[in-house]
Amino acid sequence: MEDTPSVPDDQHRPADVPPDLPLDVRRAGVLLHVTSLPSPYGTGDLGHAAYRFVDFLAAAGVTVWQVLPLVPTHAEDRSPYNGLSALAGNPELVSLDWLADRGLLRDDDLAQVASGEISRAEARTRAVRLWQSEVEAGERQEQREHFLSWVDEHDDWLGDYTDFVALRESLGGTSWHDWEPGLRDRDADALDKALAPLQDRLRVLQFEQYLFDTQWQELRDYAAERGVLVFGDLPIFVSHDSADVWVDRAQFDLDETGAPRTVTGVPPDYFAQDGQRWNNPHYDWDVMREDGFAWWRRRIARQRDLFDLVRIDHFRGLEASWHIPASAETAREGEWVASPGVEVLTALVAEAGEGHLVAEDLGVITPEVEALRLRFGLPGMKVLQFAFDGNPANPHLPHHHDHLGVVYTGTHDNDTSVGWLSEVDDRTRVRIRGHLVGPTDDMPWPLMRTAMASVSRLAVVPAQDLLGLGSAARMNVPGKATGNWSWQLREGALDDAIAARLRDVLERYDRVPGDPR
């Protein structure tokens, strides 16, 4: 019989968590990015499989679905942490089935995408053109009014994004910094001339964003009706080759041509002897301070439009970030530079509302970073894969968890738990087994049960762990330029038996809100 620790009564609503907020009760979550959903058209999208996944979560008693950033990605790396925009949605997530269900695509169109005869982008363009022709014929007037209202509501970023993407496509996908100076520097005459022949494409790009937002909100409403919250992710930095930097160059530490003076990364450590160079531009905090960090307020407001909870990736960068000279060959030549974390977080919490932000506080975390997180009452993260190094004071060990936290077996940057366990030495494996709940059961269920037994308010497991998958199912290897972000769930893999098994664990550890047991 497995070990079953009791759950103290005071965990139901500790004094440090206000009532009626996402983490005012114990919850369980599953981490699965939308692109990892099964689809006959390539990567996953916001179509039928997404709704089936929500149904699985509800059946299992899971009340949090965690996803990665939903932004449009660069074709070269497809990383959701290196988006073309911090505010736009990824048009590749637009469901073609949704369009077909509403008469905007034919079965032949879907078959052509599934066979590779046409791309998803071509299918979306066909749908938009059909919609336009029907509007011109006097049809779909209610949807037209909704679309125009949506465009007005998102005017603060939509036009800049569509201009950026249309220009970038017309110039062969090159970075805006390599455009001719008139376009690079956003000269009004140069922009008007370049955009004039791109009006059809601009309309398609605009409607794609409307489709993404409409589909996402419908899915989110469906999840909410079944008690499932959606947990999103906010990368602390943005790509240099993005609409955000092209439009708001003054907000970033750039030279007169728009090139970064310093770039982001982390210093050398056990995993990377030269450190890591991420190449995002740093912020010009003095400029951002002048308008009360309006750029950050707008960004977090958009995330709260999309998500119930938002994780701030690389939270420690709000206290200090590693500045690497743009001319440096490695990250070794960088230095820590203080960030105005209190001011930024004051703006973010005011805009997002208390109780809706989570800090990704992994890595080497200083007392100053911890103090910043606690000052604003943000839950931090614990990862069981980091816990078993033999140090009894390791903060990731289950006995060091606290209520104000989110515990994971592993994250999207880790190997799957089965893959990780296959690589640890025998001594570590014995140490791990000594900490697990029900250690004789098939892995990684004992590790998942240990996460669920934690006092941390939210416990999250990657979908790969529910299926006991090995390293081939890993989502991302940090520092690896290619081959990431491509894992997909097999249709039907998350079945009723897994849902029932998971629900039994969640009920045992009081992670099914409202369950009478």
Side-chain angles (χ1 to χ4, degrees), residues 189-213:
D189 290 339
L191 285 176
D192 287 345
K193 182 178 179 181
L195 291 169
L198 303 177
Q199 296 305 304
D200 285 345
R201 181 58 180 154
L202 288 169
R203 280 189 287 271
V204 170
L205 291 168
Q206 194 177 69
F207 198 76
E208 284 180 341
Q209 289 302 304
Y210 167 74
L211 290 173
F212 165 84
D213 212 58

PDB file of all heavy atoms in Angstrom, residues 189-213:
ATOM      1  N   ASP A 189       6.935  58.054 -45.559  1.00  0.00           N
ATOM      2  CA  ASP A 189       6.816  57.949 -47.019  1.00  0.00           C
ATOM      3  C   ASP A 189       7.288  56.585 -47.501  1.00  0.00           C
ATOM      4  O   ASP A 189       6.651  55.963 -48.376  1.00  0.00           O
ATOM      5  CB  ASP A 189       7.623  59.058 -47.695  1.00  0.00           C
ATOM      6  CG  ASP A 189       7.014  60.434 -47.496  1.00  0.00           C
ATOM      7  OD1 ASP A 189       5.799  60.503 -47.201  1.00  0.00           O
ATOM      8  OD2 ASP A 189       7.745  61.435 -47.625  1.00  0.00           O
ATOM      9  N   ALA A 190       8.399  56.117 -46.940  1.00  0.00           N
ATOM     10  CA  ALA A 190       8.930  54.811 -47.344  1.00  0.00           C
ATOM     11  C   ALA A 190       7.944  53.695 -46.984  1.00  0.00           C
ATOM     12  O   ALA A 190       7.731  52.756 -47.775  1.00  0.00           O
ATOM     13  CB  ALA A 190      10.280  54.562 -46.681  1.00  0.00           C
ATOM     14  N   LEU A 191       7.324  53.802 -45.827  1.00  0.00           N
ATOM     15  CA  LEU A 191       6.355  52.783 -45.408  1.00  0.00           C
ATOM     16  C   LEU A 191       5.132  52.791 -46.316  1.00  0.00           C
ATOM     17  O   LEU A 191       4.651  51.728 -46.757  1.00  0.00           O
ATOM     18  CB  LEU A 191       5.935  53.021 -43.961  1.00  0.00           C
ATOM     19  CG  LEU A 191       6.934  52.652 -42.872  1.00  0.00           C
ATOM     20  CD1 LEU A 191       6.408  53.049 -41.506  1.00  0.00           C
ATOM     21  CD2 LEU A 191       7.234  51.156 -42.897  1.00  0.00           C
ATOM     22  N   ASP A 192       4.601  53.982 -46.608  1.00  0.00           N
ATOM     23  CA  ASP A 192       3.416  54.064 -47.474  1.00  0.00           C
ATOM     24  C   ASP A 192       3.694  53.440 -48.827  1.00  0.00           C
ATOM     25  O   ASP A 192       2.851  52.700 -49.368  1.00  0.00           O
ATOM     26  CB  ASP A 192       3.004  55.527 -47.647  1.00  0.00           C
ATOM     27  CG  ASP A 192       2.373  56.107 -46.388  1.00  0.00           C
ATOM     28  OD1 ASP A 192       2.000  55.324 -45.496  1.00  0.00           O
ATOM     29  OD2 ASP A 192       2.270  57.354 -46.306  1.00  0.00           O
ATOM     30  N   LYS A 193       4.853  53.724 -49.388  1.00  0.00           N
ATOM     31  CA  LYS A 193       5.207  53.207 -50.713  1.00  0.00           C
ATOM     32  C   LYS A 193       5.341  51.688 -50.686  1.00  0.00           C
ATOM     33  O   LYS A 193       4.867  50.986 -51.593  1.00  0.00           O
ATOM     34  CB  LYS A 193       6.504  53.851 -51.194  1.00  0.00           C
ATOM     35  CG  LYS A 193       6.927  53.414 -52.581  1.00  0.00           C
ATOM     36  CD  LYS A 193       8.199  54.132 -53.023  1.00  0.00           C
ATOM     37  CE  LYS A 193       8.640  53.681 -54.419  1.00  0.00           C
ATOM     38  NZ  LYS A 193       9.892  54.372 -54.843  1.00  0.00           N
ATOM     39  N   ALA A 194       6.009  51.156 -49.654  1.00  0.00           N
ATOM     40  CA  ALA A 194       6.241  49.711 -49.572  1.00  0.00           C
ATOM     41  C   ALA A 194       4.972  48.935 -49.247  1.00  0.00           C
ATOM     42  O   ALA A 194       4.793  47.789 -49.705  1.00  0.00           O
ATOM     43  CB  ALA A 194       7.307  49.418 -48.523  1.00  0.00           C
ATOM     44  N   LEU A 195       4.075  49.536 -48.483  1.00  0.00           N
ATOM     45  CA  LEU A 195       2.873  48.830 -48.065  1.00  0.00           C
ATOM     46  C   LEU A 195       1.738  48.919 -49.073  1.00  0.00           C
ATOM     47  O   LEU A 195       0.806  48.098 -49.030  1.00  0.00           O
ATOM     48  CB  LEU A 195       2.389  49.374 -46.713  1.00  0.00           C
ATOM     49  CG  LEU A 195       3.281  49.053 -45.500  1.00  0.00           C
ATOM     50  CD1 LEU A 195       2.846  49.874 -44.297  1.00  0.00           C
ATOM     51  CD2 LEU A 195       3.228  47.559 -45.171  1.00  0.00           C
ATOM     52  N   ALA A 196       1.805  49.868 -49.981  1.00  0.00           N
ATOM     53  CA  ALA A 196       0.716  50.068 -50.945  1.00  0.00           C
ATOM     54  C   ALA A 196       0.354  48.797 -51.716  1.00  0.00           C
ATOM     55  O   ALA A 196      -0.840  48.478 -51.865  1.00  0.00           O
ATOM     56  CB  ALA A 196       1.065  51.212 -51.895  1.00  0.00           C
ATOM     57  N   PRO A 197       1.331  48.036 -52.244  1.00  0.00           N
ATOM     58  CA  PRO A 197       0.968  46.823 -52.990  1.00  0.00           C
ATOM     59  C   PRO A 197       0.664  45.617 -52.086  1.00  0.00           C
ATOM     60  O   PRO A 197       0.391  44.529 -52.610  1.00  0.00           O
ATOM     61  CB  PRO A 197       2.216  46.561 -53.833  1.00  0.00           C
ATOM     62  CG  PRO A 197       3.335  47.141 -53.049  1.00  0.00           C
ATOM     63  CD  PRO A 197       2.778  48.326 -52.347  1.00  0.00           C
ATOM     64  N   LEU A 198       0.693  45.787 -50.788  1.00  0.00           N
ATOM     65  CA  LEU A 198       0.532  44.661 -49.864  1.00  0.00           C
ATOM     66  C   LEU A 198      -0.811  44.677 -49.146  1.00  0.00           C
ATOM     67  O   LEU A 198      -0.995  43.971 -48.157  1.00  0.00           O
ATOM     68  CB  LEU A 198       1.659  44.679 -48.818  1.00  0.00           C
ATOM     69  CG  LEU A 198       3.092  44.653 -49.356  1.00  0.00           C
ATOM     70  CD1 LEU A 198       4.088  44.746 -48.198  1.00  0.00           C
ATOM     71  CD2 LEU A 198       3.349  43.390 -50.176  1.00  0.00           C
ATOM     72  N   GLN A 199      -1.768  45.448 -49.654  1.00  0.00           N
ATOM     73  CA  GLN A 199      -3.036  45.622 -48.943  1.00  0.00           C
ATOM     74  C   GLN A 199      -3.816  44.308 -48.790  1.00  0.00           C
ATOM     75  O   GLN A 199      -4.419  44.063 -47.738  1.00  0.00           O
ATOM     76  CB  GLN A 199      -3.886  46.680 -49.640  1.00  0.00           C
ATOM     77  CG  GLN A 199      -3.271  48.075 -49.617  1.00  0.00           C
ATOM     78  CD  GLN A 199      -2.941  48.533 -48.206  1.00  0.00           C
ATOM     79  OE1 GLN A 199      -3.800  48.562 -47.325  1.00  0.00           O
ATOM     80  NE2 GLN A 199      -1.676  48.883 -47.980  1.00  0.00           N
ATOM     81  N   ASP A 200      -3.811  43.466 -49.813  1.00  0.00           N
ATOM     82  CA  ASP A 200      -4.520  42.189 -49.697  1.00  0.00           C
ATOM     83  C   ASP A 200      -3.911  41.338 -48.589  1.00  0.00           C
ATOM     84  O   ASP A 200      -4.624  40.712 -47.798  1.00  0.00           O
ATOM     85  CB  ASP A 200      -4.474  41.425 -51.023  1.00  0.00           C
ATOM     86  CG  ASP A 200      -5.419  42.015 -52.057  1.00  0.00           C
ATOM     87  OD1 ASP A 200      -6.303  42.817 -51.666  1.00  0.00           O
ATOM     88  OD2 ASP A 200      -5.273  41.680 -53.246  1.00  0.00           O
ATOM     89  N   ARG A 201      -2.587  41.291 -48.558  1.00  0.00           N
ATOM     90  CA  ARG A 201      -1.919  40.499 -47.535  1.00  0.00           C
ATOM     91  C   ARG A 201      -2.165  41.068 -46.125  1.00  0.00           C
ATOM     92  O   ARG A 201      -2.362  40.320 -45.170  1.00  0.00           O
ATOM     93  CB  ARG A 201      -0.415  40.442 -47.818  1.00  0.00           C
ATOM     94  CG  ARG A 201       0.396  39.608 -46.830  1.00  0.00           C
ATOM     95  CD  ARG A 201      -0.100  38.181 -46.762  1.00  0.00           C
ATOM     96  NE  ARG A 201       0.650  37.377 -45.824  1.00  0.00           N
ATOM     97  CZ  ARG A 201       0.171  36.297 -45.195  1.00  0.00           C
ATOM     98  NH1 ARG A 201      -1.080  35.899 -45.415  1.00  0.00           N
ATOM     99  NH2 ARG A 201       0.922  35.622 -44.355  1.00  0.00           N
ATOM    100  N   LEU A 202      -2.196  42.381 -46.020  1.00  0.00           N
ATOM    101  CA  LEU A 202      -2.466  43.007 -44.726  1.00  0.00           C
ATOM    102  C   LEU A 202      -3.850  42.611 -44.208  1.00  0.00           C
ATOM    103  O   LEU A 202      -4.027  42.352 -43.014  1.00  0.00           O
ATOM    104  CB  LEU A 202      -2.368  44.530 -44.850  1.00  0.00           C
ATOM    105  CG  LEU A 202      -0.960  45.102 -45.020  1.00  0.00           C
ATOM    106  CD1 LEU A 202      -1.042  46.572 -45.391  1.00  0.00           C
ATOM    107  CD2 LEU A 202      -0.138  44.918 -43.753  1.00  0.00           C
ATOM    108  N   ARG A 203      -4.828  42.559 -45.118  1.00  0.00           N
ATOM    109  CA  ARG A 203      -6.174  42.178 -44.695  1.00  0.00           C
ATOM    110  C   ARG A 203      -6.205  40.726 -44.221  1.00  0.00           C
ATOM    111  O   ARG A 203      -6.882  40.395 -43.239  1.00  0.00           O
ATOM    112  CB  ARG A 203      -7.160  42.384 -45.846  1.00  0.00           C
ATOM    113  CG  ARG A 203      -7.604  43.837 -46.010  1.00  0.00           C
ATOM    114  CD  ARG A 203      -8.740  43.966 -46.997  1.00  0.00           C
ATOM    115  NE  ARG A 203      -8.289  43.761 -48.374  1.00  0.00           N
ATOM    116  CZ  ARG A 203      -7.840  44.725 -49.162  1.00  0.00           C
ATOM    117  NH1 ARG A 203      -7.772  45.970 -48.717  1.00  0.00           N
ATOM    118  NH2 ARG A 203      -7.461  44.463 -50.404  1.00  0.00           N
ATOM    119  N   VAL A 204      -5.470  39.851 -44.915  1.00  0.00           N
ATOM    120  CA  VAL A 204      -5.411  38.449 -44.498  1.00  0.00           C
ATOM    121  C   VAL A 204      -4.758  38.332 -43.125  1.00  0.00           C
ATOM    122  O   VAL A 204      -5.250  37.629 -42.235  1.00  0.00           O
ATOM    123  CB  VAL A 204      -4.644  37.604 -45.538  1.00  0.00           C
ATOM    124  CG1 VAL A 204      -4.364  36.206 -44.992  1.00  0.00           C
ATOM    125  CG2 VAL A 204      -5.436  37.497 -46.839  1.00  0.00           C
ATOM    126  N   LEU A 205      -3.644  39.020 -42.926  1.00  0.00           N
ATOM    127  CA  LEU A 205      -2.939  38.966 -41.642  1.00  0.00           C
ATOM    128  C   LEU A 205      -3.827  39.476 -40.507  1.00  0.00           C
ATOM    129  O   LEU A 205      -3.842  38.913 -39.407  1.00  0.00           O
ATOM    130  CB  LEU A 205      -1.657  39.784 -41.709  1.00  0.00           C
ATOM    131  CG  LEU A 205      -0.542  39.235 -42.602  1.00  0.00           C
ATOM    132  CD1 LEU A 205       0.544  40.297 -42.806  1.00  0.00           C
ATOM    133  CD2 LEU A 205       0.060  37.974 -41.981  1.00  0.00           C
ATOM    134  N   GLN A 206      -4.564  40.535 -40.791  1.00  0.00           N
ATOM    135  CA  GLN A 206      -5.455  41.100 -39.776  1.00  0.00           C
ATOM    136  C   GLN A 206      -6.557  40.107 -39.410  1.00  0.00           C
ATOM    137  O   GLN A 206      -6.854  39.882 -38.229  1.00  0.00           O
ATOM    138  CB  GLN A 206      -6.056  42.393 -40.316  1.00  0.00           C
ATOM    139  CG  GLN A 206      -6.732  43.274 -39.293  1.00  0.00           C
ATOM    140  CD  GLN A 206      -7.214  44.559 -39.931  1.00  0.00           C
ATOM    141  OE1 GLN A 206      -8.148  44.560 -40.734  1.00  0.00           O
ATOM    142  NE2 GLN A 206      -6.596  45.671 -39.571  1.00  0.00           N
ATOM    143  N   PHE A 207      -7.148  39.496 -40.426  1.00  0.00           N
ATOM    144  CA  PHE A 207      -8.233  38.555 -40.164  1.00  0.00           C
ATOM    145  C   PHE A 207      -7.720  37.293 -39.475  1.00  0.00           C
ATOM    146  O   PHE A 207      -8.426  36.694 -38.652  1.00  0.00           O
ATOM    147  CB  PHE A 207      -8.959  38.191 -41.463  1.00  0.00           C
ATOM    148  CG  PHE A 207     -10.320  37.598 -41.235  1.00  0.00           C
ATOM    149  CD1 PHE A 207     -11.375  38.412 -40.874  1.00  0.00           C
ATOM    150  CD2 PHE A 207     -10.537  36.243 -41.362  1.00  0.00           C
ATOM    151  CE1 PHE A 207     -12.640  37.873 -40.646  1.00  0.00           C
ATOM    152  CE2 PHE A 207     -11.793  35.694 -41.148  1.00  0.00           C
ATOM    153  CZ  PHE A 207     -12.846  36.514 -40.783  1.00  0.00           C
ATOM    154  N   GLU A 208      -6.494  36.875 -39.793  1.00  0.00           N
ATOM    155  CA  GLU A 208      -5.912  35.724 -39.104  1.00  0.00           C
ATOM    156  C   GLU A 208      -5.830  35.969 -37.592  1.00  0.00           C
ATOM    157  O   GLU A 208      -6.088  35.066 -36.791  1.00  0.00           O
ATOM    158  CB  GLU A 208      -4.515  35.426 -39.642  1.00  0.00           C
ATOM    159  CG  GLU A 208      -4.506  34.735 -40.993  1.00  0.00           C
ATOM    160  CD  GLU A 208      -3.093  34.465 -41.479  1.00  0.00           C
ATOM    161  OE1 GLU A 208      -2.134  35.105 -40.979  1.00  0.00           O
ATOM    162  OE2 GLU A 208      -2.932  33.601 -42.362  1.00  0.00           O
ATOM    163  N   GLN A 209      -5.455  37.192 -37.217  1.00  0.00           N
ATOM    164  CA  GLN A 209      -5.388  37.502 -35.790  1.00  0.00           C
ATOM    165  C   GLN A 209      -6.776  37.478 -35.155  1.00  0.00           C
ATOM    166  O   GLN A 209      -6.933  37.028 -34.020  1.00  0.00           O
ATOM    167  CB  GLN A 209      -4.713  38.859 -35.581  1.00  0.00           C
ATOM    168  CG  GLN A 209      -3.227  38.850 -35.859  1.00  0.00           C
ATOM    169  CD  GLN A 209      -2.496  37.842 -34.995  1.00  0.00           C
ATOM    170  OE1 GLN A 209      -2.581  37.869 -33.774  1.00  0.00           O
ATOM    171  NE2 GLN A 209      -1.759  36.933 -35.636  1.00  0.00           N
ATOM    172  N   TYR A 210      -7.748  37.949 -35.882  1.00  0.00           N
ATOM    173  CA  TYR A 210      -9.128  37.879 -35.395  1.00  0.00           C
ATOM    174  C   TYR A 210      -9.565  36.425 -35.212  1.00  0.00           C
ATOM    175  O   TYR A 210     -10.174  36.062 -34.200  1.00  0.00           O
ATOM    176  CB  TYR A 210     -10.051  38.593 -36.377  1.00  0.00           C
ATOM    177  CG  TYR A 210     -11.518  38.328 -36.166  1.00  0.00           C
ATOM    178  CD1 TYR A 210     -12.209  38.906 -35.098  1.00  0.00           C
ATOM    179  CD2 TYR A 210     -12.221  37.502 -37.044  1.00  0.00           C
ATOM    180  CE1 TYR A 210     -13.560  38.655 -34.910  1.00  0.00           C
ATOM    181  CE2 TYR A 210     -13.568  37.252 -36.866  1.00  0.00           C
ATOM    182  CZ  TYR A 210     -14.239  37.828 -35.795  1.00  0.00           C
ATOM    183  OH  TYR A 210     -15.571  37.582 -35.609  1.00  0.00           O
ATOM    184  N   LEU A 211      -9.215  35.587 -36.179  1.00  0.00           N
ATOM    185  CA  LEU A 211      -9.559  34.171 -36.089  1.00  0.00           C
ATOM    186  C   LEU A 211      -8.879  33.525 -34.886  1.00  0.00           C
ATOM    187  O   LEU A 211      -9.505  32.765 -34.138  1.00  0.00           O
ATOM    188  CB  LEU A 211      -9.162  33.438 -37.376  1.00  0.00           C
ATOM    189  CG  LEU A 211      -9.964  33.757 -38.626  1.00  0.00           C
ATOM    190  CD1 LEU A 211      -9.335  33.082 -39.837  1.00  0.00           C
ATOM    191  CD2 LEU A 211     -11.421  33.313 -38.465  1.00  0.00           C
ATOM    192  N   PHE A 212      -7.589  33.810 -34.710  1.00  0.00           N
ATOM    193  CA  PHE A 212      -6.880  33.249 -33.560  1.00  0.00           C
ATOM    194  C   PHE A 212      -7.573  33.648 -32.264  1.00  0.00           C
ATOM    195  O   PHE A 212      -7.851  32.806 -31.402  1.00  0.00           O
ATOM    196  CB  PHE A 212      -5.424  33.712 -33.540  1.00  0.00           C
ATOM    197  CG  PHE A 212      -4.749  33.466 -32.213  1.00  0.00           C
ATOM    198  CD1 PHE A 212      -4.189  32.228 -31.940  1.00  0.00           C
ATOM    199  CD2 PHE A 212      -4.716  34.448 -31.225  1.00  0.00           C
ATOM    200  CE1 PHE A 212      -3.625  31.965 -30.696  1.00  0.00           C
ATOM    201  CE2 PHE A 212      -4.139  34.199 -29.994  1.00  0.00           C
ATOM    202  CZ  PHE A 212      -3.590  32.958 -29.726  1.00  0.00           C
ATOM    203  N   ASP A 213      -7.831  34.921 -32.110  1.00  0.00           N
ATOM    204  CA  ASP A 213      -8.391  35.419 -30.856  1.00  0.00           C
ATOM    205  C   ASP A 213      -9.792  34.854 -30.621  1.00  0.00           C
ATOM    206  O   ASP A 213     -10.135  34.458 -29.497  1.00  0.00           O
ATOM    207  CB  ASP A 213      -8.436  36.942 -30.879  1.00  0.00           C
ATOM    208  CG  ASP A 213      -8.247  37.553 -29.508  1.00  0.00           C
ATOM    209  OD1 ASP A 213      -7.207  37.275 -28.883  1.00  0.00           O
ATOM    210  OD2 ASP A 213      -9.137  38.287 -29.048  1.00  0.00           O
TER     211      ASP A 213
END
